Amino acid sequence: MISVVFLSLLLGAAPNDGSPASSSHSLASPPVVDDSPTAWSCTADTLRSGKECVFEAELTPGEPDKEQAAGNVRTIQQLGRTLCAEAARPRAEDGKPDRSLAASCEKKYAAAAERCDLEGTVAIVDAKGRFAPAARACYRAISGVLQETQMMATVAAPCCQCAAQSGCPGAGDRCYADVTQQKAGASTLACMRDRCADSCSLLPSAGSPGKAAAPAPRNEPRPNRGSASL
């Protein structure tokens, strides 16, 4: 079973902050290799943020091992509750996660995590919390679930919460996807605009064609490294 200490390390993995070296190391001292995760390393932090990353972990694959495979899946699954709760926080001032959205995220996340066994040939993350290059498909799958949840939390959660409290038709678990993808029915939209105008301010204007909402493009530079990128 994954230890609490290791899980805390994985969730708290942070890149090297670039702080100056200790004054005890003079220029005449032998060079010291800094193998801590860089700002581009694929970790739990990049899962949270959705940033592009590279797979820096240097893990040597071995023979398939069932225990290692099961351990890999458990490692990823145990991150799910924390990451889904963070992703499901709407724009509300109290910052509490939307329970329905968090539960939906955990269900999708658990299904995505099933592809994270890597056939037991290598650990999913190294001791520093960096994802193995072989985990690319796994990482993309769980990252997709989290980013979708974040989008729903931003666009749909306040509106769907109000719609449910106001008794609007179509208010339920399906509401989050329908509002985010602008596929909510006419009667549902009319009720939301009438009873939840403030919470549903991101709804499309009446008569506008429905199209899926998309996150704002990122203008972050791509890494120029030899490691495998996402």
Side-chain angles (χ1 to χ4, degrees):
M1 180 179 294
I2 184 172
S3 69
V4 174
V5 174
F6 181 72
L7 183 59
S8 299
L9 172 64
L10 185 55
L11 285 169
N16 181 21
D17 61 5
S19 57
S22 171
S23 59
S24 62
H25 297 288
S26 67
L27 294 177
S29 300
V32 178
V33 176
D34 181 5
D35 60 353
S36 59
T38 71
W40 291 107
S41 183
C42 293
T43 64
D45 283 340
T46 56
L47 277 176
R48 286 185 175 103
S49 64
K51 291 181 179 179
E52 295 183 19
C53 63
V54 293
F55 295 86
E56 295 182 337
E58 296 181 359
L59 298 166
T60 303
E63 294 298 320
D65 181 271
K66 291 183 178 180
E67 290 186 5
Q68 180 65 69
N72 286 342
V73 173
R74 284 198 303 271
T75 296
I76 299 306
Q77 287 179 335
Q78 290 183 9
L79 291 172
R81 187 170 185 179
T82 297
L83 295 179
C84 280
E86 293 174 356
R89 289 194 179 100
R91 294 178 292 123
E93 293 181 359
D94 58 13
K96 294 180 179 179
D98 182 296
R99 292 183 179 180
S100 296
L101 189 54
S104 175
C105 174
E106 289 182 30
K107 184 177 180 180
K108 295 176 182 177
Y109 183 102
E114 291 297 328
R115 69 181 68 181
C116 297
D117 64 348
L118 306 189
E119 298 182 347
T121 58
V122 68
I124 192 78
V125 294
D126 66 7
K128 295 179 174 63
R130 300 175 296 189
F131 278 82
R136 184 182 287 104
C138 160
Y139 184 97
R140 283 181 172 175
I142 58 180
S143 178
V145 171
L146 295 172
Q147 291 187 51
E148 179 185 50
T149 302
Q150 290 169 351
M151 175 64 74
M152 291 182 180
T154 300
V155 176
C159 186
C160 290
Q161 289 173 352
C162 178
Q165 295 170 358
S166 302
C168 290
D173 291 343
R174 184 63 195 170
C175 174
Y176 298 90
D178 287 346
V179 169
T180 301
Q181 299 171 14
Q182 299 184 12
K183 294 181 179 179
S187 60
T188 300
L189 291 174
C191 180
M192 289 175 172
R193 293 193 183 99
D194 180 49
R195 303 179 187 179
C196 302
D198 291 340
S199 299
C200 298
S201 59
L202 295 180
L203 283 178
S205 58
S208 64
K211 72 170 79 171
R218 296 189 177 92
N219 294 318
E220 299 165 0
R222 291 181 178 272
N224 183 16
R225 300 176 58 91
S227 304
S229 61
L230 175 60

